[in-house]
Amino acid sequence: MTEALFGWPPPVLDPMGPYAEPVRTVAWALSGMGALVTTLVVAALFVAWRGPPVWRARLGGQTSILVFGVALPAVVLAALLIWGLMLTAKLDRPAADGAMRVRVTGEMWWFRVQYLDPQGRVIAEDANELHIPTGQPVAIELASADVIHSFWVPHLSGKKDMIPGRTNRLTVQADRIGRYGGVCAEYCGRAHALMGMVVIAHAPDEFGRWWGARRAAAATPKPDSAGFALFTDSGCAACHTVDGTRAVGRTGPNLTNVAARQTLGGGILPNNRGTMTGWVGHSQSIKPGNRMPNYDRLEPRQLQDIVTYLETLK
Amino acid sequence: MIERVQCGSCHVIPGVDWPKGRLGPSLDGMDQQGLVAGTFPNTPQNLAAFIRNAPAVKPGTVMPAMPIDDREARDVAQYLIEESKR
Ligand SMILES: [Cu+2]
């Protein structure tokens, strides 16, 4: 998740696809304008303070106030506005028919990721992780299950709000394979700062293989084990879905392939047996306020069995 | 190292701001502690061995074998001892 915000060059200035390019241009133009205006103001201040009397008189005169205070800003700001709108209008260009479709829903405090077929039906569900092929636009529908969130993967696009009761559209494209961090960019409550995700861009044939494996995982019935019995008896199944089993809860992330994910807890932890155990046992100390209770009343053996079961889900 | 595998998801660790997991014990003061996991004398070797593969030396413990190698485990043990002295 932090990879969305840190690193050099900063991800906003390091576009990886055509839908992030204009954002960089605007960012540079604004920084440039800011620097220019600051220089002019400091220069004017200096003249007002130490400049020769003639200059000072001129600077304080009505003409300069009208020119620098009204005319110039009006013209420059209007021009900037029009130029900026023209640039960013490209970002809203919908992806062509036939482009890959996904829906990402902001939930407090994680991202539900659904892969859709051309008719818009959900074919696979995941959390905090979106896999895409490189070199082609992917149409994302942004929704929210509760409050306003904002979807932002700075390497791939600008920010766009996720608003309850509304579907916003965003197109992204990655031209290089890689792993691109994303965050929620609109304050949405207590664990907002720990709400992130990753986008993983594969070469198209590699993406095909990944998709095949993902579909196979959803289709294999999951082994009934001590861990699965505990998973249902401890209440996990009331909040979590594992495709192909009687666990069909919708409150939390779908866990059908949780062991194959790169992160846990909203893009904030690497996924290994340790972080998985720590999360299930005591998620509240890791991500305070998140909507999953601690399970520190389970026997160590039971916790281990549950985690062993979760590790088979890939 | 500690951040790559996030030992902090179960431990409060000196010098680590986040996460401050509370499933396992706090690792502050490891230099002063008598026993590792209440079981082994607290020598750097025992500490590193426990960090490398806890269930192998203490069967049944909730702390799993973490994805790190022997050298990294020794470094982490060293870090915990040094950091507790501050
Ligand atoms: Cu948020």
Side-chain angles (χ1 to χ4, degrees), chain A residues 194 268-270 272-275 277-279 281-282 285-287 296 300 303-304, chain B residues 3-6 8-10 18-23 60-64 66-67:
Chain A
L194 294 175
I268 58 173
L269 292 174
N272 61 49
R273 189 174 172 107
T275 53
T277 315
W279 176 273
H282 214 280
S285 59
I286 300 172
K287 184 167 178 174
D296 45 359
L303 186 54
Q304 287 167 334
Chain B
E3 288 184 1
R4 181 169 67 76
V5 299
Q6 289 296 16
S9 52
C10 293
W18 178 90
K20 290 187 183 297
R22 296 202 161 271
L23 189 65
T61 181
V62 168
M63 174 155 155
M66 296 297 283

Side-chain angles (χ1 to χ4, degrees), chain A residues 16 100-102 113 115 129-140 153 156 172-178 180 198-204 206-208 210:
Chain A
M16 287 293 166
M100 174 175 158
R101 285 179 70 177
V102 289
V113 174
Y115 298 86
E129 188 164 307
L130 170 60
H131 292 255
I132 59 173
T134 52
Q136 61 189 65
V138 174
I140 305 186
V153 183
L156 302 182
V172 301
Q173 174 173 335
D175 285 339
R176 235 189 293 155
I177 56 172
Y180 306 114
V198 286
V199 175
I200 296 149
H202 306 270
E206 180 57 34
F207 177 79
W210 172 84

